[in-house]
Amino acid sequence: MERTFLAIKPDGVQRGLVGEVIQRFERKGYKLVGMKMMQVPRETAENHYGEHKGKPFFDGLVDYITSAPIVAMAWEGNNVVAAARQIVGATNPQNAAPGTIRGDFAVDIGRNIIHGSDSVESGIRELGIFFKPEELTGWERNVDRWIQE
Ligand code: DAT
Ligand code: MG
């Protein structure tokens, strides 16, 4: 079953949006299989955002993501990577559609509330950075048969 890495960034935590964000994925029907609050070490942030190293916004991005706690999460479900990106919305909240998390709660690209993996491969890579295998919990949910045929 497909998994993705989602993280409520420091601004989302500070603004009291943890419950709101989690609720959107729960209500959709995806399954939470890992979660922890943590302050991200600088080295971890630089690894996670390695594809952006050298870009003008890289240092500010790492400063922001390490500045206060995040909530790191693993979510599971059919097509969850792409579907979560849609729920998250466009990178720049100015372009994010209303109804998306970034569209509803953010105005600045540097304070866009949430991270979501951009591909299945990124999801595997990012979950490996933030979680030990034993921290991800496969579990049976009785309602699954009412969500997925
Ligand atoms: P996303 O988070 O939608 O996957 P990304 O991977 O391209 O976007 O960039 C990672 C984060 O870096 C993004 O959430 C916000 C920041 N960022 C991206 N492009 C930026 C830019 N042009 N100026 C400032 N921050 C930027
Ligand atoms: Mg990205």
Side-chain angles (χ1 to χ4, degrees):
M1 184 56 86
E2 193 169 301
R3 287 179 170 174
T4 194
F5 174 66
L6 301 179
I8 305 168
K9 295 178 176 180
D11 49 334
V13 175
Q14 297 288 334
R15 291 177 54 197
L17 295 172
V18 172
E20 170 71 42
V21 168
I22 290 174
Q23 187 175 51
R24 291 183 175 219
F25 297 97
E26 275 189 323
R27 286 194 307 202
K28 173 75 173 169
Y30 291 120
K31 191 192 288 185
L32 186 60
V33 294
M35 180 162 73
K36 61 179 161 189
M37 185 177 224
M38 62 186 290
Q39 183 120 14
V40 184
R42 195 161 188 95
E43 198 183 340
T44 304
E46 288 178 352
N47 182 15
H48 170 68
Y49 280 127
E51 65 173 306
H52 299 302
K53 204 171 167 75
K55 294 182 186 171
F57 60 85
F58 182 75
D59 288 345
L61 176 61
V62 171
D63 286 346
Y64 153 58
I65 221 72
T66 57
S67 64
I70 68 160
V71 175
M73 300 178 288
W75 287 84
E76 183 180 279
N78 189 14
N79 195 39
V80 68
V81 172
R85 290 281 291 189
Q86 294 215 320
I87 292 167
V88 164
T91 302
N92 187 339
Q94 299 291 340
N95 303 326
T100 64
I101 292 168
R102 288 167 173 169
D104 285 352
F105 300 112
V107 295
D108 189 325
I109 193 169
R111 297 287 184 273
N112 64 3
I113 304 283
I114 180 168
H115 169 82
S117 305
D118 64 8
S119 67
V120 173
E121 298 72 44
S122 297
I124 292 166
R125 188 183 86 84
E126 293 169 357
L127 286 172
I129 292 172
F130 285 88
F131 291 96
K132 301 184 185 112
E134 64 268 25
E135 291 176 324
L136 301 180
T137 309
W139 56 290
E140 290 296 316
R141 193 173 51 174
N142 292 333
V143 78
D144 279 348
R145 69 195 177 96
W146 301 107
I147 292 171
Q148 177 86 52
E149 192 176 16

